[in-house]
Amino acid sequence: MIDDAVRHRALAVIEQATARSWTVTAAESCTGGLVASALTSIPGSSGSFGWGFVTYSNLAKQKVLGVSALDLERYGAVSEVVARAMAEGARLASNADLAVAITGIAGPGGGSPNKPVGLVHFAVSMQARTRHHVEQFGDLGRDRVRDGSVIVALDLLLEALSCTECNQAG
């Protein structure tokens, strides 16, 4: 079930994308499709959201989004490099105007001293640029890290949609 804070943000994303005649996509790892679910819960979202990618495994990131195996090996799936590649790959594969990518460690396991549980990398890609954002939610529990990641991803989409100086078609 989608809470009011997420629904409000998803509605704003769809309304702003529609107003700009932009299409939006999401490439998700640790959120497993929660961003796509939030966006598609909005009536009429199909006009702005046509594709979503759940690329939980490294192989899926490579085959579906074109993330480099070398980058995955060198930097790991939870990294700025991979988040950027996921966003750019999703935007290109879907021919969308705007893409968000999320890759992180939701827990309860999987963390390390360098990459603790709750570390999540985000990237937003549009024709003119790709922007990276990182959050350290802490070890709040899997659901809270994932839910927090959805809110951050939607906020990043809203920020990109509000960009007046972005060099974008449409």
Side-chain angles (χ1 to χ4, degrees):
M1 186 160 152
I2 297 170
D3 72 21
D4 289 340
V6 170
R7 184 174 306 284
H8 174 76
R9 285 170 170 86
L11 176 61
V13 168
I14 295 302
E15 288 176 345
Q16 288 186 32
T18 300
R20 288 189 88 160
S21 299
W22 280 18
T23 53
V24 177
T25 190
E28 302 180 66
S29 187
C30 67
T31 51
L34 294 174
V35 172
S37 178
L39 293 171
T40 59
S41 74
I42 305 303
S45 60
S46 63
S48 298
F49 186 85
W51 297 61
F53 303 90
V54 176
T55 54
Y56 204 65
S57 72
N58 285 352
L59 184 60
K61 289 173 181 67
Q62 291 172 60
K63 291 200 174 280
V64 176
L65 302 176
V67 176
S68 158
L70 183 60
D71 285 346
L72 284 161
E73 184 179 324
R74 181 178 293 149
Y75 303 105
V78 180
S79 65
E80 176 178 350
V81 170
V82 170
R84 286 176 176 273
M86 287 173 64
E88 291 165 2
R91 186 177 57 79
L92 293 172
S94 65
N95 201 32
D97 297 299
L98 179 62
V100 66
I102 307 105
T103 183
I105 304 167
S112 70
N114 290 339
K115 294 184 181 184
V117 170
L119 175 67
V120 182
H121 286 269
F122 302 83
V124 175
S125 179
M126 60 183 86
Q127 186 177 6
R129 66 182 177 159
T130 298
R131 180 176 166 250
H132 171 258
H133 179 83
V134 65
E135 287 282 337
Q136 177 44 264
F137 292 101
D139 193 355
L140 304 175
R142 185 173 185 80
D143 289 341
R144 289 184 64 198
V145 170
R146 288 164 40 104
D147 292 346
S149 296
V150 172
I151 288 173
V152 170
L154 293 171
D155 284 346
L156 291 170
L157 287 172
L158 286 169
E159 183 181 300
L161 285 160
S162 299
C163 179
T164 55
E165 65 276 349
C166 294
N167 178 22
Q168 188 70 31

